[in-house]
């Protein structure tokens, strides 16, 4: 049984840094795609960042210079390092994974596996 478990979300102040994690079990995604999405109240779930295959990364424009996606050598844990956080970054952050190298990595329906989410709240 595949499980993705996010952790690390909490209340922070604008300008702070925070790292959220996603621990994967039950399947390896070492050659596939892992990603972060986020969903603010009343809004759709949006793509944040993805890491594919041997380590190709992609980001949404609004986080490109502030967030860094990475995974550990065993490729069982996904991280999202978030710097210079803004109130508009407030959302539930979800981990997504697929065993394939996805072309449509920014589309949520492309992914087979999802975590339950972790809340990140940025106060002004």
């Amino acid at each position: 049984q595949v499980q993705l478990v996010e952790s690390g979300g909490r209340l922070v102040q604008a300008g702070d840094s925070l790292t959220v994690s996603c621990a994967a079990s039950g399947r390896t995604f070492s050659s596939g795609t892992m990603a972060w999405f986020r969903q603010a109240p009343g809004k759709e779930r949006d793509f944040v960042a993805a890491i594919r295959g041997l380590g190709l990364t992609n980001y949404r424009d609004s986080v490109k210079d502030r967030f860094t996606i990475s995974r550990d050598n065993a490729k069982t844990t996904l991280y999202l390092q978030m710097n210079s956080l803004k109130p508009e970054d407030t959302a539930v952050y979800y981990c997504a994974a697929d065993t394939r190298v996805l072309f449509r990595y920014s589309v949520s329906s492309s992914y087979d596996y999802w975590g339950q989410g972790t809340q990140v709240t940025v106060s002004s």
Side-chain angles (χ1 to χ4, degrees):
Q1 182 181 358
V2 175
Q3 277 196 310
L4 301 177
V5 180
E6 299 97 332
S7 62
R10 61 182 176 90
L11 173 65
V12 297
Q13 294 192 336
D16 284 355
S17 296
L18 182 68
T19 298
V20 290
S21 304
C22 170
S25 61
R27 194 154 205 172
T28 179
F29 300 100
S30 59
S31 58
T33 305
M34 297 188 79
W36 289 98
F37 286 74
R38 66 186 182 188
Q39 188 166 19
K43 296 190 176 181
E44 294 185 350
R45 190 170 297 190
D46 289 332
F47 169 75
V48 176
I51 186 164
R52 298 182 287 159
L54 295 179
L56 179 64
T57 58
N58 303 90
Y59 299 90
R60 70 180 295 115
D61 286 345
S62 63
V63 308
K64 196 170 293 184
D65 297 324
R66 300 184 295 122
F67 291 8
T68 302
I69 189 171
S70 63
R71 57 190 176 193
D72 67 2
N73 288 338
K75 298 183 175 68
T76 59
T77 303
L78 181 71
Y79 302 98
L80 185 68
Q81 162 105 34
M82 301 181 285
N83 298 325
S84 302
L85 281 161
K86 304 175 181 180
E88 52 263 43
D89 295 318
T90 294
V92 177
Y93 282 71
Y94 294 93
C95 173
D98 200 281
T99 55
R100 302 162 294 176
V101 178
L102 296 175
F103 176 70
R104 301 177 72 207
Y105 53 83
S106 64
V107 178
S108 60
S109 59
S110 300
Y111 293 85
D112 284 342
Y113 304 101
W114 288 87
Q116 82 291 345
T118 187
Q119 176 71 49
V120 174
T121 304
V122 185
S123 65
S124 57

